[in-house]
Amino acid sequence: MLRSRRVKLYKFVPSDGGEESKPGIDKEEVRGILELIASTGKFWHDWDKLKSMISFHLKQVLSEYPEAKMTSEEQNAILGETYEELMKRLDEALHSFDEGPPFTLQRLCEILLAARSIYPNLSKLALALEKNLLVTSTLTVCMDPYPQTMQKLDEPDKAHEEPQPQSNSIQNGVEPMVGDGDEIMAEVQEADIDDDMTIDMEAFEEIVGSSEPNSTPTGNS
């Protein structure tokens, strides 16, 4: 059972059955924390709070199995006990850890996150959970910085996605003339040709002018 002092920590979230779930439990937040523990094998939260989160998720997982909706007689025939008795037994085993979580916490979270894909029926899931709860060694809270799990996955790649300069972009308030480079080069070449022709014509006139006095025609030729 949750203590009243935990009510203010999280918002109320309706359960799938239409009833109000436990005060202070957010399913998405709980799943994110369990995924972090499953991937790192460490925990950063106060154990009492974390224990309540795991207990909540444990009951959610158990309730998703069809055996949970069977009659008591059918449950006894399949499970050897009623669903309520099974759930209470596993939850009490979890709450028996006072000082810290069992050292099998990582595996426990892995099972709860993928229970339906690993264990096809409730009896096999219950055995796996019981095996990981019937231990005595515990873990201590991790003192490392809490991982930034909420960062977007594409943020580390932003440095590699800097926009490349484009020829038609406006830089410093001046828009470059696209495609004018060839025209400018052509004008320069034409100017060079005109200058060369002017120089050649001047040289030709000097040559012709200097040769005229030496080319006086003779009358008897």
Side-chain angles (χ1 to χ4, degrees):
M1 296 296 294
L2 289 174
R3 301 174 187 174
S4 58
R5 63 184 177 87
R6 298 187 187 121
V7 173
K8 297 187 288 185
L9 295 176
Y10 307 98
K11 61 184 178 181
F12 289 87
V13 180
S15 63
D16 295 336
E19 300 178 355
E20 255 186 343
S21 63
K22 288 187 176 182
I25 300 296
D26 184 297
K27 290 193 293 185
E28 293 302 321
E29 181 180 9
V30 170
R31 185 171 185 85
I33 292 174
L34 296 187
E35 288 175 347
L36 178 61
I37 296 173
S39 63
T40 63
K42 303 175 182 179
F43 78 101
W44 286 260
H45 299 78
D46 175 76
W47 170 230
D48 285 338
K49 298 175 184 177
L50 180 59
K51 189 193 305 183
S52 297
M53 294 179 186
I54 297 174
S55 174
F56 169 79
H57 194 75
L58 169 66
K59 294 174 182 178
Q60 288 287 319
V61 170
L62 295 177
S63 66
E64 294 174 357
Y65 279 81
E67 291 90 335
K69 300 174 178 62
M70 295 180 179
T71 63
S72 299
E73 291 76 12
E74 291 173 330
Q75 291 171 354
N76 273 308
I78 296 174
L79 303 173
E81 58 187 335
T82 65
Y83 167 75
E84 293 295 333
E85 292 171 342
L86 171 63
M87 182 176 62
K88 181 180 179 181
R89 180 166 57 83
L90 292 174
D91 193 49
E92 287 179 348
L94 173 64
H95 279 83
S96 67
F97 291 90
D98 296 325
E99 302 300 325
F103 79 94
T104 55
L105 178 64
Q106 182 177 24
R107 181 55 183 162
L108 187 64
C109 291
E110 291 173 348
I111 294 173
L112 292 176
L113 290 170
R116 295 300 300 271
S117 61
I118 302 175
Y119 303 100
N121 54 64
L122 186 55
S123 60
K124 291 185 177 181
L125 171 63
L127 288 175
L129 292 173
E130 190 174 29
K131 178 181 178 181
N132 285 275
L133 289 170
L134 294 179
V135 296
T136 56
S137 300
T138 59
L139 296 175
T140 56
V141 65
C142 181
M143 303 305 295
D144 296 336
Y146 192 77
Q148 299 298 319
T149 57
M150 300 305 292
Q151 285 185 345
K152 294 181 180 179
L153 295 178
D154 57 348
E155 283 185 354
D157 297 331
K158 286 184 178 179
H160 304 288
E161 297 177 357
E162 295 181 358
Q164 298 296 326
Q166 298 180 1
S167 59
N168 60 345
S169 62
I170 300 176
Q171 297 179 357
N172 298 327
V174 179
E175 183 176 1
M177 301 296 293
V178 180
D180 289 346
D182 294 338
E183 297 177 4
I184 294 172
M185 291 300 296
E187 292 175 359
V188 172
Q189 291 176 355
E190 291 176 0
D192 292 342
I193 294 173
D194 291 342
D195 292 342
D196 292 342
M197 292 180 64
T198 301
I199 295 172
D200 292 342
M201 289 298 295
E202 292 176 353
F204 177 74
E205 290 176 356
E206 291 177 359
I207 295 171
V208 173
S210 61
S211 61
E212 284 181 355
N214 300 326
S215 58
T216 303
T218 57
N220 299 328
S221 58

